[in-house]
Amino acid sequence: STSKFIRNINFIGKIMPRKSKSTFEDLIEIAAILSPWIGVVSALISYLIFHANASLETVIKTLPSGMTTVDFGAQLFGMFSYYAQYIFPIALLTGSFISFIRRRQGKSLAARIKQAGSDVQKELNEMSWREFELLVTTLLRSSGFSVSDNFLAGADGGKDQVLRKDGKTYLVQCKHWKARSVGVSVVREMFGLMVAEGADEVWIVTSGSFTNEAIGFADNKPIRLFDGSKLQRLEKSSNWRSCEEPQPTKSDERPMCPRCDASMVLRTARKGVNAGKKFWGCSKYPGCRGTLSN
């Protein structure tokens, strides 16, 4: 099945070293983050280019026989082309196949989340951390971002995706944490990475929640925090910007939270005796659970 196959591919990503990778591995990694069709076309083009310059006779003439009759540079390129006509297409096709399988599984995960209804949080918790990252990547692509992830590099505690859109660069880190909230140390580290790499924003996505300290540190900085509740809104709209509540205007005055003085957001109760009724909830939920009756 697709699920079993992707686990085998995940294993490849875990055992492939992050440093000292071969050209073959680099090509697979590049093709794995591109559209599958781009990889297939690139494989065909690379074969045609190298095949046109490859010659078994040239390879034989480069053996240490002392009878070389062609230019040394041409010999080297002919020998390189002879092997590259097979190596490059195989690597690119392998990466394209991985990309195809991953995108197919990502769409399956997104569909599963959309159909979960009120059980979205349960579905998120049941995912592996790699499935969670793949879900986030799929949702980001559906929102029009150009996404590069380090799927084959494995978990490294740094950025999981690099997004590009409208000339801006965003660094993304995914945290599939069930039992604890994402703390301020994670937010600080990603903020430092954003500054070091000159990115425009940093986004931290978790299936759970953030601590009050993490929310406070991110305030008024180019840091966006997406918790489980925002992901539930995201999977319905496929628009990351829509996850953020609009800022209040003069014609849209909102009360302030009685607990933390943040602006309140008008919400609708989904469960309990008040199901269907509207109420004011703190915009920093779940970090703050302040409420007011409408």
Side-chain angles (χ1 to χ4, degrees), residues 228-240:
S229 62
K230 286 184 179 179
L231 282 179
Q232 292 181 39
R233 293 198 295 273
L234 170 62
E235 54 84 18
K236 294 177 182 178
S237 67
S238 295
N239 185 341
W240 287 79

Side-chain angles (χ1 to χ4, degrees), residues 164-182:
R164 293 179 177 84
K165 187 177 183 180
D166 299 330
K168 293 186 177 182
T169 301
Y170 310 83
L171 305 184
V172 182
Q173 186 178 69
C174 301
K175 290 294 184 184
H176 187 246
W177 288 358
K178 306 174 187 178
R180 59 194 181 99
S181 300
V182 178

Side-chain angles (χ1 to χ4, degrees), residues 38-291:
I38 293 178
V40 171
V41 172
S42 299
L44 177 60
I45 292 174
S46 67
Y47 174 78
L48 294 175
I49 291 175
F50 290 123
H51 182 72
N53 295 278
S55 169
L56 181 59
E57 180 184 3
T58 303
V59 175
I60 295 174
K61 285 183 178 180
T62 58
L63 295 175
S65 61
M67 298 179 64
T68 299
T69 59
V70 294
D71 176 76
F72 182 68
Q75 290 182 58
L76 289 179
F77 186 69
M79 181 173 63
F80 173 78
S81 298
Y82 179 78
Y83 295 107
Q85 68 177 327
Y86 304 113
I87 294 175
F88 276 62
I90 290 174
L92 290 170
L93 289 175
T94 300
S96 297
F97 186 60
I98 292 174
S99 175
F100 172 77
I101 294 297
R102 291 188 68 231
R103 288 175 186 242
R104 182 177 177 182
Q105 191 198 27
K107 290 180 180 179
S108 176
L109 291 170
R112 199 171 91 190
I113 291 297
K114 288 180 182 294
Q115 296 170 3
S118 60
D119 294 327
V120 170
Q121 192 60 54
K122 179 182 177 182
E123 290 287 344
L124 291 174
N125 290 339
E126 290 179 351
M127 290 182 183
S128 68
W129 66 267
R130 281 192 175 274
E131 288 177 327
F132 180 68
E133 286 185 13
L134 183 55
L135 170 67
V136 172
T137 296
T138 301
L139 294 175
L140 286 166
R141 284 202 177 106
S142 68
S143 297
F145 289 95
S146 172
V147 185
S148 299
D149 59 24
N150 56 354
F151 160 71
L152 290 179
D156 61 356
K159 58 183 180 293
D160 295 311
Q161 292 103 354
V162 178
L163 316 179
R164 293 179 177 84
K165 187 177 183 180
D166 299 330
K168 293 186 177 182
T169 301
Y170 310 83
L171 305 184
V172 182
Q173 186 178 69
C174 301
K175 290 294 184 184
H176 187 246
W177 288 358
K178 306 174 187 178
R180 59 194 181 99
S181 300
V182 178
V184 68
S185 61
V186 173
V187 183
R188 282 200 186 101
E189 289 172 4
M190 288 302 296
F191 182 65
L193 185 61
M194 180 201 75
V195 173
E197 297 198 6
D200 295 283
E201 287 186 18
V202 59
W203 296 1
I204 303 175
V205 187
T206 180
S207 55
S209 61
F210 296 91
T211 64
N212 290 332
E213 291 80 4
I215 295 173
F217 181 83
D219 193 30
N220 295 321
K221 293 184 181 70
I223 303 173
R224 292 161 64 83
L225 307 179
F226 294 88
D227 56 23
S229 62
K230 286 184 179 179
L231 282 179
Q232 292 181 39
R233 293 198 295 273
L234 170 62
E235 54 84 18
K236 294 177 182 178
S237 67
S238 295
N239 185 341
W240 287 79
R241 292 296 175 184
S242 71
C243 287
E244 294 298 308
E245 300 291 347
Q247 294 298 319
T249 62
K250 290 183 178 179
S251 61
D252 180 25
E253 293 293 339
R254 303 180 186 185
M256 306 303 289
C257 177
R259 292 190 179 184
C260 67
D261 291 329
S263 62
M264 304 288 280
V265 177
L266 192 61
R267 295 193 171 101
T268 303
R270 297 181 180 180
K271 300 180 180 179
V273 295
N274 295 318
K277 295 183 179 180
K278 294 186 178 297
F279 69 99
W280 291 102
C282 182
S283 59
K284 291 187 176 181
Y285 176 87
C288 176
R289 297 178 180 271
T291 60

